[in-house]
């Protein structure tokens, strides 16, 4: 039985492609400061083909705290500010709250409150105006019509 060289090349390519793509996983980082709290968001590709990321959120309020999670394809982090808190929405019901006075940080599972939504200050996301792969903090002040990213589905 004779094996075609093109078939062998095809199999080798299919086997090596994920490895080669995996070696080029890119890391995206952006940071901002809100009410004396430095917030840094990092994304690292989690899949060789899909837009899925492992997200790390570092909040520097004395001691850095890291929240790591799989984004499931969502790259945004909405930031809201109330008189007492900085509120970060990473998913529908995953909220990170920073108490501005005590500097305490909590990860809670609940929807955003209306009082938090009106305090939208910006979001971490890919800035399409700067190019498809520029991850940055985009402040609401950059565009008066700018709004939080709303997730589709449940």
């Amino acid at each position: 039985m004779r094996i075609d060289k093109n078939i062998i090349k095809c199999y080798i390519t299919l086997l090596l492609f994920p490895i080669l793509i995996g070696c080029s996983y890119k890391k995206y980082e952006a940071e901002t400061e809100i009410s004396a709290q430095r917030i840094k968001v990092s994304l690292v590709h989690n899949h060789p083909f899909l837009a899925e990321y492992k997200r790390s959120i570092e909040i520097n309020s004395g001691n850095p705290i890291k929240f790591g999670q799989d984004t499931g394809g969502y790259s945004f982090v909405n930031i809201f500010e109330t008189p007492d808190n900085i509120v970060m929405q990473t998913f529908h019901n995953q909220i990170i709250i920073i108490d501005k006075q005590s500097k305490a940080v909590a990860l809670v599972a609940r929807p955003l409150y209306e009082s938090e939504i009106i305090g939208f200050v910006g979001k971490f996301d890919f800035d399409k105006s700067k190019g498809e792969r520029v991850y940055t903090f985009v402040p609401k002040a950059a565009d008066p019509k700018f709004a939080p990213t709303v997730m589709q589905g449940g």
Side-chain angles (χ1 to χ4, degrees):
M1 179 175 164
R2 185 170 174 214
I3 300 175
D4 187 358
K5 289 181 183 180
N6 289 330
I7 292 175
I8 293 174
K9 287 179 187 178
C10 182
Y11 280 122
I12 291 172
T13 302
L14 289 173
L15 290 173
L16 292 178
F17 188 69
I19 295 169
L20 295 173
I21 295 294
C23 294
S24 66
Y25 280 14
K26 186 167 179 173
K27 184 175 186 176
Y28 303 98
E29 292 183 323
E31 66 180 80
T32 192
E33 189 170 304
I34 299 171
S35 295
Q37 298 297 309
R38 186 182 61 77
I39 301 167
K40 179 179 177 181
V41 177
S42 302
L43 298 175
V44 178
H45 276 281
N46 208 18
H47 191 278
F49 310 113
L50 303 176
E52 293 188 10
Y53 306 95
K54 170 111 175 129
R55 176 176 28 229
S56 173
I57 299 173
E58 185 176 327
I59 301 162
N60 190 359
S61 56
N63 295 323
I65 300 169
K66 289 197 175 194
F67 295 94
Q69 57 193 170
D70 176 355
T71 66
Y74 289 97
S75 59
F76 74 91
V77 176
N78 291 322
I79 308 287
F80 306 87
E81 189 172 16
T82 67
D84 299 325
N85 300 313
I86 298 169
V87 180
M88 303 168 63
Q89 178 193 33
T90 59
F91 289 106
H92 280 297
N93 294 325
Q94 287 189 341
I95 309 293
I96 298 168
I97 299 174
I98 306 168
D99 184 295
K100 290 198 262 185
Q101 188 166 359
S102 71
K103 312 292 188 223
V105 178
L107 178 63
V108 296
R110 66 162 174 78
L112 282 169
Y113 298 142
E114 187 65 34
S115 61
E116 294 166 338
I117 294 171
I118 61 172
F120 177 66
V121 295
K123 67 181 174 182
F124 289 94
D125 207 348
F126 288 104
D127 186 349
K128 305 283 193 254
S129 70
K130 294 181 180 177
E132 187 63 31
R133 296 289 103 186
V134 177
Y135 195 72
T136 188
F137 177 75
V138 184
K140 180 181 179 183
D143 181 352
K145 294 179 266 178
F146 193 55
T149 298
V150 178
M151 293 184 64
Q152 303 298 315

